Coordinates of all heavy atoms in Angstrom, one line a residue:
M1 N 0.8 -1.2 0.0 CA 0.0 0.0 0.0 C 0.9 1.3 0.0 O 0.6 2.2 -0.7 CB -0.9 0.0 1.2 CG -1.9 1.1 1.2 SD -2.9 1.2 2.7 CE -3.4 2.9 2.6
G2 N 1.9 1.3 0.8 CA 2.9 2.4 0.8 C 3.5 2.6 -0.6 O 3.7 3.7 -1.0
K3 N 3.7 1.5 -1.3 CA 4.3 1.5 -2.6 C 3.4 2.3 -3.6 O 3.8 3.1 -4.4 CB 4.6 0.1 -3.1 CG 5.4 0.1 -4.3 CD 5.7 -1.3 -4.7 CE 6.6 -1.2 -6.0 NZ 7.0 -2.6 -6.5
E4 N 2.1 2.0 -3.5 CA 1.1 2.6 -4.4 C 1.1 4.1 -4.1 O 1.0 5.0 -5.1 CB -0.3 2.0 -4.2 CG -0.5 0.7 -4.9 CD -1.8 0.0 -4.4 OE1 -2.8 0.7 -4.2 OE2 -1.7 -1.2 -4.3
I5 N 1.1 4.5 -2.8 CA 1.0 5.9 -2.5 C 2.3 6.6 -3.0 O 2.3 7.7 -3.5 CB 0.8 6.1 -1.0 CG1 -0.5 5.5 -0.6 CG2 0.9 7.6 -0.6 CD1 -0.7 5.3 0.9
Y6 N 3.4 5.9 -2.8 CA 4.7 6.5 -3.2 C 4.7 6.7 -4.8 O 5.1 7.7 -5.3 CB 5.9 5.5 -2.8 CG 7.2 6.0 -3.2 CD1 7.9 6.9 -2.3 CD2 7.8 5.8 -4.4 CE1 9.2 7.4 -2.6 CE2 9.1 6.3 -4.7 CZ 9.7 7.0 -3.9 OH 11.0 7.5 -4.2
A7 N 4.2 5.7 -5.5 CA 4.1 5.8 -6.9 C 3.2 6.9 -7.4 O 3.5 7.6 -8.4 CB 3.6 4.5 -7.5
K8 N 2.2 7.2 -6.6 CA 1.3 8.3 -7.0 C 1.8 9.7 -6.6 O 1.6 10.6 -7.4 CB -0.1 8.0 -6.3 CG -1.2 8.7 -6.9 CD -2.6 8.2 -6.4 CE -3.7 9.2 -6.7 NZ -4.8 9.0 -5.8
H9 N 2.4 9.8 -5.4 CA 2.7 11.1 -4.9 C 4.1 11.5 -4.8 O 4.5 12.6 -4.6 CB 2.0 11.3 -3.5 CG 0.6 11.2 -3.5 ND1 -0.2 12.3 -3.8 CD2 -0.3 10.2 -3.2 CE1 -1.5 11.9 -3.7 NE2 -1.6 10.7 -3.3
C10 N 5.0 10.5 -4.8 CA 6.4 10.8 -4.5 C 7.4 10.4 -5.6 O 8.4 11.0 -5.7 CB 6.9 10.0 -3.2 SG 5.6 9.9 -2.0
V11 N 7.0 9.4 -6.5 CA 8.0 8.9 -7.4 C 8.5 9.9 -8.4 O 9.7 9.9 -8.8 CB 7.5 7.6 -8.1 CG1 6.5 8.0 -9.2 CG2 8.6 6.7 -8.6
K12 N 7.7 10.9 -8.8 CA 8.0 11.8 -9.8 C 9.3 12.7 -9.4 O 10.0 13.2 -10.2 CB 6.9 12.7 -10.3 CG 6.2 13.5 -9.2 CD 5.1 14.3 -9.9 CE 4.4 15.3 -8.9 NZ 3.4 14.6 -8.1
C13 N 9.4 12.9 -8.1 CA 10.6 13.6 -7.6 C 11.6 12.6 -6.9 O 12.8 12.8 -7.1 CB 10.1 14.6 -6.5 SG 9.1 15.9 -7.2
H14 N 11.2 11.7 -6.2 CA 12.1 10.9 -5.4 C 12.6 9.6 -6.2 O 13.6 9.0 -5.8 CB 11.5 10.4 -4.1 CG 11.4 11.6 -3.1 ND1 12.5 12.0 -2.4 CD2 10.4 12.4 -2.7 CE1 12.2 13.1 -1.7 NE2 10.9 13.3 -1.8
G15 N 12.0 9.3 -7.3 CA 12.5 8.3 -8.2 C 12.1 6.9 -7.8 O 11.8 6.6 -6.6
Q16 N 12.2 6.0 -8.8 CA 11.8 4.6 -8.6 C 12.7 3.9 -7.6 O 12.2 3.1 -6.8 CB 12.0 3.9 -10.0 CG 11.1 2.8 -10.3 CD 9.7 3.1 -10.3 OE1 9.0 2.8 -9.3 NE2 9.2 3.8 -11.3
N17 N 13.9 4.3 -7.5 CA 14.9 3.6 -6.5 C 15.1 4.5 -5.3 O 15.9 4.2 -4.4 CB 16.2 3.3 -7.2 CG 16.8 4.5 -7.8 OD1 16.4 5.7 -7.5 ND2 17.8 4.4 -8.7
G18 N 14.3 5.6 -5.1 CA 14.4 6.4 -3.9 C 15.6 7.3 -3.9 O 16.0 7.9 -2.9
R19 N 16.3 7.4 -5.1 CA 17.6 8.2 -5.0 C 17.4 9.6 -5.5 O 18.3 10.4 -5.4 CB 18.6 7.5 -6.0 CG 19.0 6.2 -5.3 CD 20.0 5.6 -6.1 NE 20.6 4.5 -5.3 CZ 21.7 3.9 -5.5 NH1 22.5 4.2 -6.5 NH2 22.1 3.0 -4.7
G20 N 16.2 10.0 -5.9 CA 15.9 11.4 -6.2 C 16.2 11.7 -7.7 O 17.1 11.1 -8.3
E21 N 15.3 12.5 -8.3 CA 15.4 12.8 -9.7 C 16.0 14.1 -10.0 O 16.3 14.5 -11.1 CB 14.0 12.8 -10.3 CG 13.2 11.5 -10.3 CD 13.8 10.4 -11.2 OE1 14.7 10.8 -12.0 OE2 13.5 9.2 -11.0
M22 N 16.4 14.9 -8.9 CA 17.0 16.2 -9.2 C 18.2 16.3 -8.2 O 18.3 15.6 -7.2 CB 16.1 17.4 -9.0 CG 14.7 17.1 -8.8 SD 13.7 18.6 -8.6 CE 12.5 18.0 -7.5
A23 N 19.0 17.3 -8.5 CA 20.2 17.6 -7.6 C 19.7 18.0 -6.2 O 18.6 18.6 -6.1 CB 21.1 18.6 -8.2
G24 N 20.4 17.6 -5.2 CA 20.1 18.1 -3.8 C 19.0 17.3 -3.2 O 18.5 17.7 -2.1
M25 N 18.6 16.2 -3.8 CA 17.5 15.4 -3.2 C 18.1 14.3 -2.3 O 19.2 13.9 -2.5 CB 16.8 14.7 -4.3 CG 16.2 15.6 -5.3 SD 14.4 15.8 -5.3 CE 13.8 14.4 -4.5
P26 N 17.4 14.0 -1.3 CA 17.8 12.9 -0.4 C 17.9 11.6 -1.1 O 17.1 11.4 -2.0 CB 16.8 12.9 0.8 CG 15.6 13.6 0.2 CD 16.0 14.5 -0.9
D27 N 18.8 10.8 -0.7 CA 18.9 9.4 -1.3 C 18.4 8.4 -0.2 O 19.1 8.2 0.8 CB 20.4 9.1 -1.6 CG 20.6 7.7 -2.2 OD1 19.6 6.9 -2.2 OD2 21.7 7.5 -2.6
F28 N 17.2 7.9 -0.4 CA 16.6 7.0 0.6 C 17.3 5.7 0.6 O 17.0 4.9 1.6 CB 15.1 6.8 0.3 CG 14.3 8.1 0.4 CD1 13.3 8.3 -0.5 CD2 14.5 9.0 1.5 CE1 12.5 9.5 -0.4 CE2 13.7 10.1 1.6 CZ 12.8 10.4 0.6
S29 N 18.2 5.4 -0.3 CA 18.9 4.1 -0.2 C 20.2 4.2 0.6 O 20.9 3.3 0.8 CB 19.2 3.6 -1.6 OG 20.1 4.4 -2.3
W30 N 20.5 5.5 1.0 CA 21.7 5.8 1.8 C 21.6 5.2 3.2 O 20.6 5.4 3.8 CB 22.0 7.3 1.8 CG 23.2 7.7 2.6 CD1 23.2 8.2 3.9 CD2 24.5 7.6 2.2 NE1 24.5 8.4 4.3 CE2 25.3 8.1 3.3 CE3 25.2 7.1 1.0 CZ2 26.7 8.1 3.2 CZ3 26.6 7.2 1.0 CH2 27.3 7.7 2.1
K31 N 22.6 4.4 3.6 CA 22.5 3.7 4.9 C 23.3 4.4 6.0 O 23.3 4.0 7.1 CB 23.1 2.3 4.8 CG 22.2 1.4 3.9 CD 22.8 0.0 3.8 CE 22.1 -0.9 2.8 NZ 22.2 -0.4 1.5
G32 N 24.1 5.4 5.6 CA 25.0 6.1 6.5 C 24.4 7.0 7.5 O 23.1 7.0 7.7
A33 N 25.1 8.0 8.0 CA 24.6 9.0 8.9 C 23.5 9.7 8.1 O 23.3 9.6 7.0 CB 25.7 9.9 9.2
D34 N 22.7 10.5 8.9 CA 21.5 11.1 8.4 C 21.7 12.0 7.2 O 22.1 13.2 7.4 CB 20.8 11.9 9.5 CG 19.4 12.3 9.1 OD1 18.9 11.8 8.1 OD2 18.8 13.1 9.8
R35 N 21.4 11.5 6.0 CA 21.4 12.4 4.8 C 20.1 12.4 4.2 O 19.9 12.9 3.1 CB 22.5 11.9 3.8 CG 23.9 12.3 4.2 CD 24.7 12.8 3.1 NE 24.8 11.8 2.0 CZ 25.9 11.4 1.5 NH1 27.1 11.7 2.0 NH2 25.9 10.6 0.5
N36 N 19.1 11.7 4.7 CA 17.8 11.6 4.1 C 16.7 11.6 5.0 O 15.5 11.4 4.6 CB 17.8 10.2 3.3 CG 18.2 9.1 4.2 OD1 18.1 9.1 5.3 ND2 18.7 8.0 3.5
G37 N 16.9 11.9 6.3 CA 15.8 12.1 7.2 C 15.4 10.7 7.8 O 14.6 10.7 8.8
L38 N 15.9 9.6 7.3 CA 15.3 8.3 7.7 C 15.9 7.8 9.0 O 15.4 6.8 9.6 CB 15.6 7.2 6.6 CG 14.9 7.4 5.3 CD1 15.0 6.2 4.5 CD2 13.5 7.8 5.4
S39 N 16.8 8.6 9.6 CA 17.2 8.2 11.0 C 16.3 8.7 12.0 O 16.3 8.4 13.2 CB 18.6 8.7 11.3 OG 18.6 10.1 11.3
R40 N 15.3 9.5 11.5 CA 14.2 10.0 12.5 C 13.3 8.8 12.8 O 13.2 7.8 12.1 CB 13.4 11.1 11.8 CG 14.2 12.4 11.7 CD 13.2 13.4 11.2 NE 13.9 14.7 11.2 CZ 14.7 15.1 10.2 NH1 14.8 14.3 9.1 NH2 15.4 16.2 10.2
S41 N 12.6 8.9 13.9 CA 11.6 7.9 14.3 C 10.4 8.1 13.3 O 10.2 9.1 12.7 CB 11.1 8.2 15.7 OG 10.4 9.4 15.8
D42 N 9.5 7.0 13.3 CA 8.4 7.0 12.4 C 7.5 8.2 12.7 O 7.1 8.9 11.7 CB 7.6 5.7 12.6 CG 8.3 4.5 12.0 OD1 9.3 4.8 11.2 OD2 7.9 3.4 12.2
P43 N 7.1 8.5 13.9 CA 6.2 9.7 14.2 C 6.8 11.0 13.7 O 6.2 11.9 13.2 CB 6.0 9.7 15.7 CG 6.3 8.3 16.1 CD 7.3 7.8 15.2
Q44 N 8.2 11.1 13.9 CA 8.8 12.4 13.4 C 8.8 12.5 11.9 O 8.6 13.6 11.4 CB 10.3 12.4 13.9 CG 10.5 12.8 15.3 CD 12.0 12.7 15.7 OE1 12.6 11.7 15.5 NE2 12.5 13.7 16.4
L45 N 9.0 11.4 11.2 CA 9.0 11.4 9.8 C 7.6 11.7 9.3 O 7.4 12.4 8.3 CB 9.4 10.0 9.2 CG 10.9 10.0 8.7 CD1 11.2 8.5 8.3 CD2 11.1 10.9 7.6
V46 N 6.6 11.1 9.9 CA 5.2 11.4 9.5 C 4.9 12.9 9.6 O 4.4 13.5 8.7 CB 4.2 10.5 10.3 CG1 2.8 11.0 10.0 CG2 4.3 9.0 10.0
G47 N 5.3 13.4 10.7 CA 5.1 14.9 10.9 C 5.9 15.7 9.9 O 5.3 16.7 9.4
R48 N 7.0 15.3 9.6 CA 7.9 15.9 8.6 C 7.2 16.0 7.2 O 7.2 17.0 6.5 CB 9.2 15.2 8.5 CG 10.3 15.9 7.8 CD 10.7 17.1 8.6 NE 11.9 17.6 8.1 CZ 12.8 18.2 8.8 NH1 12.7 18.2 10.1 NH2 13.9 18.7 8.3
I49 N 6.7 14.8 6.8 CA 6.1 14.7 5.5 C 4.8 15.5 5.4 O 4.4 16.1 4.4 CB 5.9 13.2 5.1 CG1 7.2 12.5 4.9 CG2 5.0 13.0 3.9 CD1 7.2 11.0 4.9
K50 N 4.1 15.6 6.6 CA 2.9 16.4 6.6 C 3.2 17.9 6.4 O 2.4 18.6 5.8 CB 2.2 16.3 8.0 CG 1.3 15.0 8.0 CD 0.9 14.7 9.4 CE -0.3 15.4 9.9 NZ -0.9 14.8 11.1
V51 N 4.3 18.5 7.0 CA 4.5 19.9 6.8 C 5.4 20.2 5.6 O 5.4 21.3 5.1 CB 5.2 20.5 8.0 CG1 4.3 20.4 9.3 CG2 6.6 19.9 8.3
G52 N 6.0 19.1 5.0 CA 6.9 19.3 3.8 C 8.2 19.9 4.2 O 8.4 20.3 5.3
K53 N 9.1 20.0 3.2 CA 10.4 20.6 3.4 C 10.9 21.2 2.1 O 11.1 20.4 1.2 CB 11.4 19.6 3.9 CG 12.7 20.2 4.3 CD 13.7 19.1 4.8 CE 15.0 19.8 5.2 NZ 16.2 18.9 5.0
G54 N 11.1 22.5 2.0 CA 11.6 23.1 0.8 C 10.6 22.7 -0.4 O 9.4 23.0 -0.3
I55 N 11.2 22.1 -1.4 CA 10.4 21.7 -2.6 C 9.4 20.6 -2.3 O 8.5 20.4 -2.9 CB 11.4 21.4 -3.7 CG1 12.3 22.5 -4.0 CG2 10.6 21.0 -5.0 CD1 13.5 22.1 -4.9
C56 N 9.8 19.8 -1.3 CA 9.0 18.6 -0.9 C 7.6 19.1 -0.4 O 7.6 19.9 0.6 CB 9.7 17.8 0.1 SG 8.9 16.1 0.3
P57 N 6.5 18.8 -1.1 CA 5.2 19.4 -0.7 C 4.7 18.9 0.6 O 5.1 17.8 1.1 CB 4.3 18.9 -1.8 CG 5.1 18.0 -2.7 CD 6.4 17.9 -2.2
A58 N 3.9 19.7 1.3 CA 3.2 19.3 2.5 C 2.1 18.4 2.1 O 1.2 18.7 1.3 CB 2.7 20.5 3.3
F59 N 2.0 17.2 2.8 CA 0.9 16.3 2.4 C -0.2 16.3 3.5 O -1.1 15.4 3.4 CB 1.5 14.9 2.2 CG 2.3 14.7 0.9 CD1 3.6 14.9 0.9 CD2 1.5 14.5 -0.2 CE1 4.3 14.9 -0.4 CE2 2.2 14.4 -1.5 CZ 3.5 14.6 -1.5
H60 N -0.1 17.2 4.4 CA -1.3 17.4 5.3 C -2.5 17.7 4.6 O -2.5 18.6 3.7 CB -0.9 18.5 6.3 CG -2.0 18.7 7.3 ND1 -2.2 17.8 8.3 CD2 -2.9 19.7 7.5 CE1 -3.3 18.3 9.1 NE2 -3.7 19.4 8.6
G61 N -3.6 16.9 4.8 CA -4.8 17.2 4.1 C -4.9 16.4 2.7 O -6.0 16.4 2.1
I62 N -3.8 15.9 2.3 CA -3.8 15.2 1.0 C -3.7 13.7 1.3 O -4.5 12.9 0.8 CB -2.6 15.6 0.1 CG1 -2.7 17.1 -0.2 CG2 -2.5 14.7 -1.1 CD1 -1.5 17.6 -0.9
L63 N -2.9 13.3 2.3 CA -2.7 11.9 2.7 C -3.1 11.8 4.2 O -2.8 12.8 4.9 CB -1.3 11.4 2.6 CG -0.8 11.3 1.1 CD1 0.7 10.9 1.1 CD2 -1.6 10.3 0.3
T64 N -3.7 10.8 4.6 CA -4.1 10.6 6.0 C -2.8 10.1 6.8 O -1.9 9.6 6.2 CB -5.2 9.5 6.2 OG1 -4.7 8.3 5.7 CG2 -6.4 9.9 5.4
D65 N -2.8 10.2 8.1 CA -1.7 9.7 8.9 C -1.4 8.3 8.6 O -0.2 8.0 8.4 CB -1.9 9.9 10.4 CG -1.8 11.4 10.8 OD1 -1.8 12.3 9.9 OD2 -1.5 11.7 12.0
P66 N -2.4 7.4 8.6 CA -2.0 6.0 8.3 C -1.4 5.8 6.9 O -0.5 5.0 6.7 CB -3.4 5.2 8.4 CG -4.3 6.1 9.2 CD -3.8 7.5 9.0
E67 N -1.9 6.6 6.0 CA -1.3 6.5 4.6 C 0.2 6.9 4.6 O 1.0 6.3 4.0 CB -2.1 7.4 3.6 CG -3.4 6.8 3.2 CD -4.3 7.7 2.4 OE1 -4.2 8.9 2.5 OE2 -5.1 7.1 1.6
I68 N 0.4 8.1 5.3 CA 1.8 8.5 5.4 C 2.7 7.5 6.1 O 3.8 7.2 5.7 CB 1.9 9.9 6.1 CG1 1.1 10.9 5.3 CG2 3.3 10.4 6.3 CD1 1.0 12.3 5.9
M69 N 2.1 6.9 7.2 CA 2.9 5.8 7.9 C 3.2 4.7 6.9 O 4.3 4.2 7.0 CB 2.0 5.3 9.1 CG 2.8 4.5 10.0 SD 4.3 5.2 10.7 CE 5.4 3.9 10.2
N70 N 2.3 4.3 6.1 CA 2.6 3.3 5.1 C 3.7 3.7 4.1 O 4.6 2.9 3.7 CB 1.4 3.0 4.2 CG 0.4 2.0 5.0 OD1 0.9 1.0 5.5 ND2 -0.9 2.3 5.0
V71 N 3.7 5.0 3.7 CA 4.8 5.4 2.9 C 6.1 5.4 3.6 O 7.1 5.0 3.0 CB 4.5 6.9 2.3 CG1 5.6 7.3 1.4 CG2 3.2 6.9 1.6
V72 N 6.1 5.8 4.8 CA 7.3 5.8 5.6 C 7.9 4.3 5.7 O 9.1 4.1 5.5 CB 7.1 6.3 7.1 CG1 8.3 6.0 8.0 CG2 6.9 7.9 7.0
T73 N 7.0 3.4 5.9 CA 7.5 2.0 5.9 C 8.1 1.6 4.6 O 9.1 0.9 4.5 CB 6.2 1.1 6.2 OG1 5.7 1.5 7.5 CG2 6.7 -0.4 6.3
Y74 N 7.5 2.1 3.5 CA 8.0 1.8 2.2 C 9.4 2.5 2.0 O 10.3 1.9 1.4 CB 7.0 2.2 1.1 CG 7.5 1.9 -0.3 CD1 7.7 0.6 -0.7 CD2 7.7 2.9 -1.2 CE1 8.1 0.3 -2.0 CE2 8.2 2.6 -2.5 CZ 8.4 1.3 -2.9 OH 8.8 1.0 -4.1
L75 N 9.5 3.8 2.4 CA 10.8 4.4 2.3 C 11.9 3.6 2.9 O 13.0 3.6 2.4 CB 10.8 5.8 3.0 CG 9.9 6.9 2.4 CD1 10.1 8.2 3.2 CD2 10.1 7.2 0.9
R76 N 11.6 3.0 4.0 CA 12.7 2.2 4.7 C 13.1 1.0 3.9 O 14.2 0.5 4.2 CB 12.2 1.9 6.1 CG 11.9 3.1 7.0 CD 11.9 2.7 8.5 NE 11.4 3.8 9.3 CZ 12.1 4.9 9.7 NH1 13.3 5.0 9.3 NH2 11.6 5.8 10.4
T77 N 12.3 0.5 3.0 CA 12.7 -0.6 2.2 C 13.8 -0.3 1.2 O 14.4 -1.2 0.6 CB 11.5 -1.3 1.5 OG1 11.0 -0.4 0.4 CG2 10.3 -1.6 2.4
F78 N 14.0 1.0 0.9 CA 15.0 1.4 -0.1 C 16.4 1.1 0.5 O 17.4 1.0 -0.2 CB 14.9 2.8 -0.5 CG 13.7 3.1 -1.3 CD1 12.8 4.1 -0.9 CD2 13.6 2.5 -2.5 CE1 11.7 4.3 -1.7 CE2 12.5 2.8 -3.4 CZ 11.6 3.7 -3.0
R79 N 16.6 1.0 1.8 CA 17.9 0.9 2.4 C 18.4 -0.5 2.2 O 17.7 -1.5 2.2 CB 17.7 1.2 3.9 CG 17.4 2.6 4.2 CD 17.5 2.9 5.7 NE 18.0 4.2 5.9 CZ 18.5 4.6 7.0 NH1 18.7 3.8 8.0 NH2 18.9 5.9 7.2
Ligands
LIG101 C1 7.9 18.2 -6.0 C2 8.9 17.1 -5.8 C3 8.7 16.3 -4.5 C4 7.6 15.5 -4.2 C5 6.3 15.3 -5.0 C6 7.9 14.8 -3.0 N1 9.2 15.2 -2.5 FE1 10.1 14.6 -0.8 N2 11.6 15.9 -1.1 C7 11.8 16.7 -2.3 C8 12.9 17.5 -2.1 C9 13.5 18.5 -3.2 C10 13.5 17.2 -0.9 C11 14.8 17.8 -0.2 C12 14.3 19.0 0.6 C13 15.4 19.7 1.3 O1 16.3 19.1 1.8 O2 15.3 20.9 1.3 C14 12.6 16.2 -0.3 C15 12.8 15.6 1.0 C16 12.1 14.6 1.5 C17 12.4 13.9 2.7 C18 13.6 14.2 3.7 C19 13.1 15.2 4.7 C20 14.2 15.5 5.7 O3 13.8 15.8 6.8 O4 15.4 15.6 5.3 C21 11.4 12.9 2.9 C22 11.3 12.0 4.1 C23 10.6 13.1 1.8 N3 11.0 14.1 1.0 C24 9.5 12.3 1.6 C25 8.5 12.4 0.6 C26 7.3 11.6 0.4 C27 7.0 10.4 1.3 C28 6.7 12.0 -0.7 C29 5.4 11.5 -1.2 C30 4.3 11.4 -0.2 C31 7.5 13.1 -1.2 N4 8.6 13.3 -0.5 C32 7.1 13.9 -2.4 C33 10.9 16.7 -3.4 C34 9.6 16.1 -3.4

């Protein structure tokens, strides 16, 4: 389910492999120190995705909390 939401709302910027389609994007497949936000806890990441960051749109009102949680779970599979 997270994969479907990612495909619909995130893939155009974050890419099929989670590495990002433009310069300066986080690489979700990066396993090292925090360069992609994924070292945050699940609730922190959900909050982050709700408010957005820079070019990353705010998904509050577009996706529900459980939907965002599913995407967060999917993001972690890129590692
Ligand atoms: C319009 C392009 C775009 C879309 C659509 C988009 N993002 Fe992003 N995202 C970005 C960019 C650019 C950054 C880097 C922002 C920065 O560091 O200033 C980013 C950063 C992030 C980060 C890291 C935040 C952090 O704290 O470092 C996460 C997590 C993230 N996006 C998740 C998502 C999810 C999940 C979706 C879909 C629900 C999504 N993004 C949709 C462009 C996008």
